[in-house]
Amino acid sequence: MIWARRTKQGSAAVGAGPAEDPSAAVSRAKMLAEHGDVEGARSAYQQAIDSRHPEHAPAAAFSLGLLLGRHGDWAGAQAGYWYAANSGHPEYAPLAARNIGHLFKRQGRFGQAREAYQLAIDSGHPDVAPWAMVYLGNLFIYYRNPAGAEACYQSAAESGHPEAAQQAAQRLEALRDARRAR
């Protein structure tokens, strides 16, 4: 990792310039975030994102979303997540879509949360998709759409995911019990 570099004029440049490897920028961002330097971490993550590296840019965008979300910058978090979600990366795109759903849900934007969870489901990711089915089922409960919730919970219960399938099966049973009690 490059911590100080000589410029053409001979002065030391703290951090790294445009030539920093995106992996090093992500590592530097994580270190800065751990030490509470949110703006420094944001800048380092952005440098990795700007590299458009197929692995490091989506990772940086997802991590930036996490960082900014923890600090209440919902718009910044959403922008980072959208970059990762649109990257097509097999790990970070589904995770980012799920987190976008969480952000929208938190903001009361349920239609957009539904769309984001559906993106995560459509990814087919073996861990993220079943959980997104559970989250979407929960949204349908909020919408008072028990048929939609039942379909989501049923799919998640059949997914084979150890935790999501169990939780979905429990919610499905509770939903059916409530229907029978009417």
Side-chain angles (χ1 to χ4, degrees), residues 22 57 60-61 81 96 100-101 109 112 132 135 148 162:
Y81 288 144
I100 291 167
R109 297 163 65 183
Q112 291 167 305
Y135 302 139

Side-chain angles (χ1 to χ4, degrees), residues 9-41:
Q9 293 80 20
S11 62
V14 177
E20 183 177 21
D21 176 86
S23 175
V26 170
S27 295
R28 185 166 53 90
K30 288 178 182 177
M31 186 273 308
L32 291 167
E34 287 172 7
H35 288 91
D37 184 353
V38 175
E39 287 307 312

Side-chain angles (χ1 to χ4, degrees), residues 44-67:
Y45 281 133
Q46 190 61 53
Q47 185 174 354
I49 293 166
D50 291 345
S51 76
R52 298 183 188 263
H53 187 279
E55 186 70 28
H56 301 300
F62 182 77
S63 295
L64 179 60
L66 289 174
L67 174 71

Side-chain angles (χ1 to χ4, degrees), residues 80-146:
Y81 288 144
W82 273 120
Y83 181 95
N86 290 323
S87 72
H89 189 279
E91 290 298 318
Y92 295 110
L95 288 168
R98 178 206 59 202
N99 284 13
I100 291 167
H102 292 338
L103 282 176
F104 282 146
K105 182 180 176 192
R106 206 173 285 140
Q107 296 168 4
R109 297 163 65 183
F110 297 110
Q112 291 167 305
R114 177 182 177 182
E115 292 172 8
Y117 288 140
Q118 190 62 55
L119 280 175
I121 292 165
D122 292 345
S123 75
H125 188 280
D127 188 49
V128 176
W131 280 113
M133 291 175 206
V134 172
Y135 302 139
L136 183 55
N138 295 343
L139 272 182
F140 280 129
I141 293 295
Y142 181 84
Y143 282 137
R144 300 195 192 313
N145 179 346

